[in-house]
Structure formats: C-alpha cells, structure tokens
Amino acid sequence: MMNKKYAPLFETMTFKNGIQLKNRIVMAPMTNWSSNPDGTVSEAEVKYYARRSNGAGMVITACTYVTANGKGFHGEFGGDRDELIPSLRQLATAIKEQGAIAILQMFHGGRQVPPELIPDGDVVSASNIPAEGNGKPEPRELSDQEIRSIIRDFGETTRRAIEAGYDGVEIHGANGYLIQQFFSPHSNRREDKWGGSLEKRLTFPMAVVDEVKRVVSENAKRPFIVGYRFSPEEAETPGITMADTLVLIDELAKKDLDYLHVSLQEFWSKPRRGVDDTRSRIEIIQERVGNRVPVIGVGSIYNPDDALKAFQTGVPLIALGRELIIDPDWVQKVLDGKENEIITEINKNNQEQLVIPDPLWQAIIHTPGWFPGIH
C-alpha cells in the first residue's frame, strides 16, 4: 500500500480544456536516436515508450521535426509530411493503450542541425551566427518568406498529430533549437520584424503558438493540449537571461496555453543573471505565471522524496526523464508502497529488461556522468 505522504503526487489533474491526468507524473521528452532512416518510428522505439507509459499520467515524446531541413539528430522521427501520419499514429496508440495521455513534441533544429542530415546541407537560423563550439556550421539567415513557411509547418505537424490521435502537442522552444534561436540575442541579430529588440525577438515564438492554436481550433474534434517548453537561460553572451525569460513567460501566459514546461538538468538550479533572487529558477517561474498557466518542473528527480519536495514548490506536474529510463516501474512501485525498491542507477547488464533501443543504450553507456551509475 502506498505511503500516504506520496498521495499528492497521485491526485488527478484536469487541464482547463477538460483533459484529465491520472497523476502528477510526466515522462519528459528525451532524444533516443532510434527511429528509422526514413523518419518513421521504429518497432524498438514503440516498445520503449509502451514500457514507460503505464505509470505516468502524461508522456511527451522525443521531438519530431516539422520541416525536412529541421531534422536535428540521427534516428529522429518526422512529422513533416502526411505519409508519416501512420507512423505517428503507431506511437500515439502505444502510449495511450497503456493509459497515459500522449503528447507529440515538435521542433525545428535550426543552426543545431547536422548538415549531413538535411537537403543540400542547408543549415538555417534566425541569423548567420554559428552556435558556439568548434566546427559548428555557419547557418544561412532565413528569409521572411521561409520564416512564414516554417510557422505554417508547425501548424501542419499539429494537424498530423490530431489526425494521428495524439492528445496534444508540445512546442519545443528550448535547448537552443530554432524557436529559441529567434528569441536569443546571441543567434538573432536581425533588424526586421523578426528580430532586434526583445519584443521583436518574441515575434517568431508567438507566431508559432498562434498558428498551432489556430490549427487546433479548426481541426480538433475533442479537447487537445498545447504546451510550450523553454530554457530559462543561456550561457552565451549575449544570451537569454532570467529577466528575458520572465518577459517570455508573461507573453506565453496570455496565449491560453495548457502548460509551460521548463527545460532544466537540475530542478533546484539558480539563475545566472538577470534577476536579484536567490531562489531556484523554477520557484521564480512558478511565482510569476503559475497562477495563470500550469508549470511542469523537471531536473534530476530520482526518488519519490525528490518528487515530493519539488511538488511542494507549487508546480502541479513533475517530469521524470532519466529516472523513467532507469526504472520504468517507478510509478507502480510508489503506488505499491515499494519505493525502497526503486532503482536510481542504470544497470549496464539490463538493456533488454529495460526495453531500451540500442542507439539510446549506446549513448547512455558511453556518456559518463549523464546517467547515474555510468562513471
């Protein structure tokens, strides 16, 4: 029987559109490098998600690209054309059959895209500024017409998600990809309506949100979730500061979104710059917009006490990423009062039992420090 102190994590939550989650645990979106070369979801990937979808209230997929030149990783599944709808449906069905709400995360990689993955190696971004680091390609600055086309592509991928049976989409405006590239003063040096001032750098992210919402209102026959993920700060100078992010989330909170999802490695991490505040970024964000839009917190949460402590900040949803890869039965163990049996370090001999596709498994065991237990 469940320890009563964890009961708050297992209360249902109803979004304002009426969709109900059975608990407050979300599977975070994580790249798995395991799709087929043609952009379809692989069998191994479907099994990996199904194995993790019977506990969490909501599962957010790895990102899918909305435009052919937005593919950010080897082994990434696509949402950029109608012939991929059956593949998208296969994944949505596998998640929902296990009892979770299925959310498709969608993005364009922008300047982070490996040139070999895209047509003509044509890497694009808000401006022709390469990402920091050795050997990063210099992107081509997008034209006004191309920007409008990519905005429509986000809408078209949303339509495909609706047709494929997803319960919602998450707009990936985090982790340095194209939407964030337009918001960032590092990557956006434009002087037209799409860049320059902070206000103009918001134009593209808000246009994507508006287009996605428009497509949902025209195509969804039942309630459909629209969330937005963002990274609160950038290390680069110039770069996004916590002050910039407070402006961003104020604008997003006006858009009638179903949730905002913070992208963090560490739940309790503190701001670098931009605010005079010693609290964690998530506490600052929750105080700023939490009464207007639900916030999902995430970052190095491994055991139920971690989750409970995070939940007590007031964020209504807690996302687990690496921990649900390490122990897919996390939720069930807490429910059964077996929280002392939860595994919090990856077992190098357990790939098959954990149903982890080989490309993801190879990345885990060959990246020391990423997962607990890999030194």
Side-chain angles (χ1 to χ4, degrees):
M1 224 168 93
M2 180 174 66
N3 185 325
K4 282 202 183 79
K5 73 174 177 177
Y6 301 127
L9 298 172
F10 293 92
E11 291 170 1
T12 59
M13 177 178 151
T14 306
F15 290 104
K16 62 177 180 290
N17 63 15
I19 293 180
Q20 187 179 77
L21 305 186
K22 64 185 178 184
N23 60 44
R24 303 308 179 97
I25 303 300
V26 175
M27 178 172 168
M30 284 172 296
T31 303
N32 58 52
W33 303 282
S34 301
S35 307
N36 297 316
D38 64 357
T40 55
V41 177
S42 67
E43 284 297 327
E45 210 171 0
V46 172
K47 288 174 180 164
Y48 158 82
Y49 278 105
R51 177 74 179 86
R52 287 160 178 80
S53 298
N54 63 349
M58 185 163 87
V59 170
I60 306 170
T61 70
C63 51
T64 185
Y65 51 95
V66 301
T67 310
N69 70 354
K71 183 175 182 176
F73 311 97
H74 290 271
E76 182 182 3
F77 68 97
D80 64 319
R81 52 199 193 277
D82 280 2
E83 53 263 39
L84 291 172
I85 292 173
S87 161
L88 293 171
R89 183 178 295 122
Q90 190 186 6
L91 183 52
T93 303
I95 293 168
K96 290 166 69 170
E97 278 177 347
Q98 297 298 321
I101 294 294
I103 305 292
L104 181 71
Q105 190 191 60
M106 49 186 194
F107 94 138
H108 186 297
R111 68 180 184 179
Q112 303 278 28
V113 165
E116 71 271 13
L117 286 186
I118 54 170
D120 304 323
D122 183 25
V123 178
V124 296
S125 185
S127 298
N128 64 345
I129 310 295
E132 292 193 345
N134 292 333
K136 299 287 188 182
E138 181 179 313
R140 179 176 63 76
E141 179 172 302
L142 287 160
S143 70
D144 179 81
Q145 191 179 353
E146 288 174 311
I147 292 168
R148 294 172 192 277
S149 175
I150 290 171
I151 292 165
R152 285 194 298 274
D153 292 337
F154 274 96
E156 281 289 276
T157 300
T158 302
R159 174 183 59 78
R160 294 178 191 113
I162 293 166
E163 290 182 26
Y166 285 86
D167 299 296
V169 291
E170 178 171 284
I171 299 165
H172 193 358
N175 299 10
Y177 300 123
L178 186 67
I179 294 177
Q180 184 175 326
Q181 287 162 35
F182 269 90
F183 183 54
S184 168
H186 184 276
S187 38
N188 186 348
R189 314 281 174 97
R190 302 176 74 99
E191 292 176 358
D192 59 1
K193 68 172 280 188
W194 303 105
S197 65
L198 175 61
E199 187 182 33
K200 286 182 171 177
R201 294 199 311 272
L202 283 164
T203 308
F204 180 77
M206 297 305 143
V208 170
V209 171
D210 289 343
E211 176 68 1
V212 168
K213 298 276 296 179
R214 181 190 71 76
V215 167
V216 169
S217 68
E218 288 182 10
N219 292 273
K221 305 281 189 285
R222 56 190 179 86
F224 191 84
I225 292 166
V226 179
Y228 187 103
R229 195 172 206 209
F230 64 96
S231 296
E233 292 188 88
E234 290 179 326
E236 295 89 347
T237 304
I240 295 167
T241 68
M242 202 65 204
D244 296 337
T245 285
L246 295 179
V247 176
L248 170 70
I249 61 177
D250 276 340
E251 290 306 308
L252 289 168
K254 296 174 187 171
K255 293 291 184 187
D256 197 33
L257 290 161
D258 294 292
Y259 68 81
L260 295 180
H261 187 180
V262 192
S263 181
L264 288 171
Q265 280 282 351
E266 167 55 55
F267 186 94
W268 299 101
S269 64
K270 298 194 165 152
R272 286 192 184 91
R273 57 190 174 185
V275 290
D276 187 19
D277 199 322
T278 57
R279 291 176 300 163
S280 68
R281 292 161 168 149
I282 286 192
E283 288 169 291
I284 296 166
I285 289 161
Q286 172 64 18
E287 180 184 80
R288 184 73 167 229
V289 295
N291 61 341
R292 291 181 276 163
V293 57
V295 174
I296 302 180
V298 69
S300 301
I301 293 166
Y302 291 102
N303 63 54
D305 289 318
D306 293 343
L308 194 60
K309 186 183 173 197
F311 189 67
Q312 285 160 353
T313 61
V315 295
L317 293 165
I318 303 295
L320 304 181
R322 288 165 292 183
E323 178 54 30
L324 285 184
I325 293 180
I326 294 167
D327 193 342
D329 301 314
W330 192 98
V331 172
Q332 199 56 47
K333 285 177 179 176
V334 182
L335 281 171
D336 293 345
K338 296 179 177 175
E339 62 274 8
N340 58 345
E341 294 178 21
I342 286 173
I343 300 157
T344 56
E345 289 195 350
I346 199 90
N347 180 337
K348 282 188 176 179
N349 305 311
N350 234 2
Q351 179 185 2
E352 209 165 299
Q353 194 187 336
L354 293 174
V355 194
I356 297 175
D358 206 54
L360 174 57
W361 183 254
Q362 295 303 326
I364 291 168
I365 62 173
H366 292 115
T367 313
W370 182 27
F371 272 65
I374 306 292
H375 307 298

